[in-house]
Amino acid sequence: MIVDRDRIRKLLIYIFIALFLFIAIFSWLSSPILYLIDSFTTEILSSSHNIILSILFWVGANFSRPLISFILTLICAFLLWGNNFKIPAAWFLFTMIGSMLAEMILNLITPWPLPVSKPSSIGRSFPSLAVLMTFLLIQFFFVIVVPEFNKRAKKVKNRTIAIIILWLVLVCFAVVAYRYNTISDVFAALFFGYAWFLLSEEFYYNYARIFVRLKIFRGSWI
């Protein structure tokens, strides 16, 4: 089974939900301290940089768009399903779609104040949807793909993990540099994303053995 029992998983869910709510409440109340932090980091990251850093930020901001992440999600789910990982494919797909719907609902029911220097016509994505989906894609990579690396491919595995983590860091900085989000949006996405993923892992561990009995999932690896 790709998801094992973890006794501290529920505790971690509560901790990261609390961290997300902490940022959400202070953001909704337009906390001066949070505004100062957002303003400072936005100005630092969006100021003029050398050509290499500018290119990296452009790549991170544009290739982490939610639409691209969603297309990657569909491709990965299709490949998993085709390789008889039907339940992991469904778990992966519904976790990603669920995170998008949750983020949409949060933005519909709560009037978040606009980020620093962001045009009112653009609105606000809280938590950052680009960071949220990138983070979840990486989490699934660690759970589903990393364990499949051969022991002899340890160097390749470590390099791949390093590149993936650097990509996440780049995306976090890039969305702030391009003023798509603030640093508080980014941390909110990381906290919310990890809580959401842990919750989905708990669901998978508890119900995967039940779903495998259904005709559509029969014979699937879990």
Side-chain angles (χ1 to χ4, degrees), residues 156-217:
V156 176
K157 172 183 173 181
N158 292 337
R159 289 172 185 170
T160 304
I161 291 173
I163 291 171
I164 292 295
I165 292 175
L166 287 173
W167 171 250
L168 176 61
V169 173
L170 175 61
V171 170
C172 291
F173 286 160
V175 295
V176 177
Y178 271 74
R179 298 180 185 268
Y180 294 155
N181 295 104
T182 63
I183 199 68
S184 59
D185 298 340
V186 168
F187 276 102
L190 295 175
F191 293 148
F192 179 82
Y194 196 46
W196 186 267
F197 184 76
L198 290 172
L199 188 63
S200 104
E201 276 193 321
E202 192 68 16
F203 181 86
Y204 185 93
Y205 178 79
N206 290 325
Y207 296 101
R209 290 186 178 89
I210 297 175
F211 282 111
V212 78
R213 300 171 190 168
L214 300 177
K215 186 176 181 179
I216 191 173
F217 295 126

Side-chain angles (χ1 to χ4, degrees), residues 81 84-90 94 210-221:
W81 190 280
N84 204 33
F85 285 89
K86 297 178 181 179
I87 291 181
F94 284 106
I210 297 175
F211 282 111
V212 78
R213 300 171 190 168
L214 300 177
K215 186 176 181 179
I216 191 173
F217 295 126
R218 193 165 296 164
S220 169
W221 295 98

Side-chain angles (χ1 to χ4, degrees), residues 40-204:
F40 177 75
T41 53
T42 299
E43 290 304 316
I44 291 293
L45 290 173
S46 62
S47 59
S48 58
H49 303 290
N50 62 60
I51 186 65
I52 295 177
L53 199 56
S54 297
I55 292 173
L56 286 173
F57 281 165
W58 184 89
V59 171
N62 287 280
F63 285 87
S64 65
R65 292 180 182 273
L67 178 59
I68 294 178
S69 295
F70 183 67
I71 292 172
L72 286 174
T73 298
L74 293 178
I75 293 172
C76 292
F78 177 78
L79 291 174
L80 286 170
W81 190 280
N83 286 280
N84 204 33
F85 285 89
K86 297 178 181 179
I87 291 181
W91 171 54
F92 177 41
L93 186 61
F94 284 106
T95 300
M96 295 296 289
I97 293 176
S99 70
M100 295 171 65
L101 292 175
E103 193 270 352
M104 187 184 300
I105 292 170
L106 279 171
N107 283 281
L108 284 175
I109 65 176
T110 310
W112 305 106
L114 288 173
V116 182
S117 303
K118 188 169 185 178
S120 59
S121 59
I122 297 179
R124 183 175 187 180
S125 170
F126 183 92
S128 169
L129 187 56
V131 174
L132 174 61
M133 296 189 72
T134 300
F135 179 78
L136 288 175
L137 282 171
I138 290 173
Q139 288 297 317
F140 277 105
F141 176 82
F142 281 127
V143 170
I144 297 175
V145 179
V146 169
E148 298 301 318
F149 274 93
N150 192 302
K151 288 184 178 180
R152 295 180 181 178
K154 188 175 181 180
K155 288 185 178 179
V156 176
K157 172 183 173 181
N158 292 337
R159 289 172 185 170
T160 304
I161 291 173
I163 291 171
I164 292 295
I165 292 175
L166 287 173
W167 171 250
L168 176 61
V169 173
L170 175 61
V171 170
C172 291
F173 286 160
V175 295
V176 177
Y178 271 74
R179 298 180 185 268
Y180 294 155
N181 295 104
T182 63
I183 199 68
S184 59
D185 298 340
V186 168
F187 276 102
L190 295 175
F191 293 148
F192 179 82
Y194 196 46
W196 186 267
F197 184 76
L198 290 172
L199 188 63
S200 104
E201 276 193 321
E202 192 68 16
F203 181 86
Y204 185 93

